[in-house]
Amino acid sequence: MHTTPQYLLDTGSELGREQMDHLERLLDGTTTACLDEIGIEPGRRCLDLGAGGGSITRWLAERTGPGGTVVSVDLDTGYLVPGPGIEVHRHDINDGLPVDGPFHLIHTRLLLMHLPRRADILRTLADALAPGGWLVIGEFSNRPRRVLSAPIRADRQLFNRVQDIGHNTVARAAGVSFTWAHEVDQHMAEAGLTNIHSLERSQTTTGGTTGCLLNRNYVRQLEAPLLRAGITGEELARYRDLMLDPRFRAWFYQFVCTRGQKPA
Ligand SMILES: C[S@@+](CC[C@H](N)C(=O)[O-])C[C@H]1O[C@@H](n2cnc3c(N)ncnc32)[C@H](O)[C@@H]1O
């Protein structure tokens, strides 16, 4: 029997909460700059899909009020608080949208890359846009993320090994795609969207700072599948220490934010 792979991480756990905080600290500036370029006006109806910690939902609600609505959707809605202008739905997007469109803006960040049916879901989202409405998709890409500095040579090899097995064995088995970030443009075009534009942001991260703390968080959340895939407990312990060590520095995931507009 074929089953859809499950979302790998646990948003509702303590580590999940920490992950949401790191993501918001790292990415909200870039995401809100992308959304500001579109221009979010009062009275608009928006959808924030896979809203996680809810920072973009709240940001949108401030821009769309008074009179607007943000429909905030996640499998785990523990951090999403309904209120004036915010509607919360606990829902699996694999089952379709929880409410009908049209929406003036649909935003989703670091969700579709996890979902094997990402291309079909993108088309569903494009169909749910109002004429002139925007779809904004932010994803991580995994182009080579070179280590720039490490206490000893073996640490560089360890970082590359954990990344390689994490991405190419553990994440791939769960249906995660790191090439999708650069495929979104093509899928938006095929869904009939216009004015498509992408922005890619790269940055380095140092041990003990947010990017490395997020790397460490992922390895803690994925400890069991990483061990099953052949990484040893000693290697994981060294990796966790390395992500706290200010002598370690490497390129972090590129964040690619793509927007496309439904013809008016
Ligand atoms: C990596 S987190 C990103 C959270 C937030 N968008 C951000 O970038 O800060 C992915 C989010 O998508 C949610 N999610 C995963 N699979 C989902 C599904 N099938 N339907 C709806 N939400 C899902 C998770 O619970 C989690 O909150």
Side-chain angles (χ1 to χ4, degrees), residues 175-191:
V176 178
S177 170
F178 284 98
T179 59
W180 164 253
H182 291 104
E183 294 160 8
V184 169
D185 174 291
Q186 190 59 39
H187 286 275
M188 282 191 178
E190 284 167 13

Side-chain angles (χ1 to χ4, degrees), residues 34-35 37-41 43-47 60 101-107 122-137 188-189 191-197 258-264:
C34 291
L35 295 171
E37 278 189 27
I38 291 170
I40 311 292
E41 291 163 16
R44 296 302 201 185
R45 185 164 185 254
C46 304
L47 170 67
L60 286 169
F103 296 98
H104 298 106
L105 170 83
I106 298 178
H107 167 258
L122 183 150
R123 199 167 269 274
T124 301
L125 300 180
D127 288 346
L129 289 172
W134 289 92
L135 176 58
V136 177
I137 299 181
M188 282 191 178
L193 302 187
T194 57
N195 296 323
I196 300 169
H197 173 85
T258 304
R259 66 176 186 239
Q261 186 175 30
K262 187 136 171 173

Side-chain angles (χ1 to χ4, degrees), residues 220-234:
R220 288 182 69 201
Q221 290 199 63
L222 298 174
E223 184 169 325
L226 283 167
L227 290 170
R228 282 198 298 276
I231 304 272
T232 67
E234 291 72 27

Side-chain angles (χ1 to χ4, degrees), residues 82-179:
I86 299 181
E87 235 179 68
V88 174
H89 294 264
R90 185 184 197 101
H91 182 78
D92 182 343
I93 190 60
N94 286 302
D95 298 333
L97 284 169
V99 290
D100 289 336
F103 296 98
H104 298 106
L105 170 83
I106 298 178
H107 167 258
T108 183
R109 188 171 77 188
L110 305 182
L111 170 60
L112 297 187
M113 63 181 291
H114 288 274
L115 305 180
R117 293 188 51 246
R118 56 187 72 84
D120 292 341
I121 295 170
L122 183 150
R123 199 167 269 274
T124 301
L125 300 180
D127 288 346
L129 289 172
W134 289 92
L135 176 58
V136 177
I137 299 181
E139 305 284 12
F140 278 151
S141 133
N142 183 31
R143 283 182 177 157
R145 293 183 296 124
R146 212 157 55 84
V147 176
L148 299 166
S149 160
I152 56 169
R153 190 182 187 79
D155 289 330
R156 292 174 185 258
Q157 287 157 356
L158 173 69
F159 181 79
N160 292 335
R161 175 169 151 73
V162 173
Q163 299 299 308
D164 177 41
I165 292 186
H167 297 140
N168 296 322
T169 304
V170 174
R172 186 173 290 168
V176 178
S177 170
F178 284 98
T179 59

Side-chain angles (χ1 to χ4, degrees), residues 191-221:
L193 302 187
T194 57
N195 296 323
I196 300 169
H197 173 85
S198 290
L199 164 138
E200 179 170 314
R201 180 156 191 254
S202 301
Q203 59 183 314
T204 60
T205 181
T206 300
T209 69
T210 309
C212 279
L213 294 177
L214 184 58
N215 284 337
R216 188 174 190 272
N217 177 288
Y218 286 141
V219 156
R220 288 182 69 201
Q221 290 199 63

